[in-house]
Amino acid sequence: MHYELVAALIFIHPLCPSYLCSMEIIKSEYVISSPAVSNCPKPDRPEYAFIGRSNVGKSSLINALTNKQELAKVSGTPGKTQLINHFAITSGDRKEWYLVDLPGYGYAKRALAQRKTWQKMIEEYIRNRENLVNVFVLIDSRHEPQQIDLDFVNSLGEWGIPFSLVFTKSDKSTQRETAANVHQFLNALAAHWETLPPHFITSAVKRTGIKQILDFIDNVQVSLK
């Protein structure tokens, strides 16, 4: 598979028309939790990773995407995800891929040494995982742009990693407030980026944006053939 080509396709064709794409997840199951990229499963299928600041709603979003409420563990305690978690997904036409739940970056009630270990693990995975197709960066839509999110996104750009933005918890604010925060974040990126990445506004509770993310993945899967 030519993943460099996929990187270009993601930015040129971020979404396919709704009448062409409609992914249905048939099966999703936990595979393994790995302390390092070297311990991850054999890279024999496309991989989509999800990451964000602690308590951004990552587990809830993963459960909504797979329509399996207990697939990823939901916790009110920041920093509970500590390993690289792989889930095997089978979608329409028997397409198989991995969904990866990465540890959150930013605040967590852990020692500095532990947080540095997580940071090193995350960077090594993102930069060295050969079958990684796209990183979904989760941003809390309730807040104005946070520097830690902007810094992480800019790092992905420096490393040449294809990514998309997922603004979470849109049900927690008014549409106007959510739109304003998303607009500010994209404007902050536009100051340094010639082309903005695809973005999605989501709510795991109302399932807002779930179909759009799945259709995006389906579009990329088609591009890999």
Side-chain angles (χ1 to χ4, degrees):
M1 297 181 184
H2 202 307
Y3 291 103
E4 290 78 6
L5 175 60
V6 174
L9 288 170
I10 286 175
F11 287 97
I12 295 173
H13 303 295
L15 290 173
C16 62
S18 58
Y19 60 84
L20 292 179
C21 295
S22 185
M23 173 180 281
E24 177 187 4
I25 291 182
I26 300 171
K27 184 179 179 181
S28 57
E29 57 184 352
Y30 167 78
V31 178
I32 192 173
S33 295
S34 308
V37 65
S38 58
N39 302 111
C40 289
K42 182 180 178 181
D44 58 358
R45 64 190 70 176
E47 200 156 284
Y48 302 83
F50 289 73
I51 191 171
R53 282 186 294 122
S54 298
N55 206 30
V56 75
K58 177 162 50 68
S59 295
S60 295
L61 181 71
I62 290 173
N63 291 340
L65 287 168
T66 58
N67 201 27
K68 195 171 184 179
Q69 292 307 307
E70 297 182 357
L71 187 67
K73 294 181 180 180
V74 178
S75 172
T77 304
K80 290 295 288 185
T81 303
Q82 302 177 30
L83 301 170
I84 303 168
N85 300 302
H86 275 76
F87 301 95
I89 308 296
T90 302
S91 53
D93 297 328
R94 312 306 299 179
K95 297 173 185 173
E96 295 185 343
W97 45 281
Y98 283 125
L99 186 156
V100 183
D101 181 8
L102 293 175
Y105 55 84
Y107 172 80
K109 292 183 179 179
R110 302 284 175 174
L112 178 60
Q114 180 67 68
R115 295 201 301 271
K116 287 184 176 179
T117 298
W118 289 348
Q119 181 178 351
K120 182 174 183 291
M121 175 179 65
I122 292 168
E123 180 176 341
E124 288 182 346
Y125 165 80
I126 290 175
R127 301 186 71 174
N128 298 310
R129 186 65 170 167
E130 60 190 86
N131 59 324
L132 178 61
V133 175
N134 187 68
V135 176
F136 290 96
V137 183
L138 277 58
I139 310 293
D140 194 329
S141 69
R142 298 174 298 175
H143 307 304
E144 295 181 353
Q146 304 292 303
Q147 192 60 49
I148 189 170
D149 292 323
L150 293 169
D151 289 344
F152 183 77
V153 167
N154 286 330
S155 292
L156 291 177
E158 292 173 3
W159 300 336
I161 306 298
F163 70 93
S164 309
L165 302 176
V166 179
F167 294 93
T168 63
K169 303 185 178 183
S170 65
D171 59 292
K172 304 297 184 182
S173 305
T174 66
Q175 288 186 346
R176 178 176 293 182
E177 291 169 337
T178 298
N181 290 334
V182 170
H183 184 69
Q184 287 186 52
F185 194 94
L186 296 177
N187 275 351
L189 284 186
H192 306 284
W193 290 70
E194 292 184 2
T195 303
L196 293 176
H199 73 275
F200 308 89
I201 298 175
T202 69
S203 164
V205 174
K206 295 185 176 181
R207 297 189 61 81
T208 305
I210 298 302
K211 180 182 184 299
Q212 287 75 15
I213 293 176
L214 291 176
D215 286 352
F216 174 83
I217 293 173
D218 193 47
N219 191 33
V220 176
Q221 291 286 89
V222 171
S223 301
L224 290 173
K225 291 183 177 180

